[in-house]
Amino acid sequence: MVMSEQEMFLNVWEKEFPTTVKVLKAFPAGKDSLKPHELSKSAAQLAWNFPMEEDFFVNGVLTGKFEFG
């Protein structure tokens, strides 16, 4: 059986989402301003990218269109 791109994405997302949550929960409290380099984003900024990117891609897959703003 051949899966659609939507089905493939959702299968991967269902497997990766718990790992993402586990990583975010494991991050030490109070260390959200940590930066490996002065030009890098902070841990809080990077952590915020996870849900924003997932929301973007899940909505794109479910609606069939990706809107870049």
Side-chain angles (χ1 to χ4, degrees):
M1 182 176 150
V2 177
M3 287 193 292
S4 69
E5 289 179 353
Q6 182 181 27
E7 291 169 323
M8 287 188 291
F9 175 83
L10 292 174
N11 283 339
V12 171
W13 185 78
E14 287 174 359
K15 292 176 186 173
E16 292 297 327
F17 181 74
T19 302
T20 301
V21 171
K22 185 177 174 182
V23 168
L24 292 174
K25 285 183 176 182
F27 197 81
K31 298 288 186 177
D32 56 340
S33 62
L34 177 68
K35 288 182 169 188
H37 186 273
E38 63 187 39
L39 298 178
S40 299
K41 291 184 177 185
S42 70
Q45 290 169 315
L46 292 173
W48 184 244
N49 282 339
F50 289 132
M52 296 305 294
E53 289 174 359
E54 294 217 7
D55 180 62
F56 174 79
F57 285 111
V58 169
N59 284 325
V61 168
L62 295 176
T63 63
K65 57 185 172 185
F66 292 89
E67 296 182 22
F68 298 93

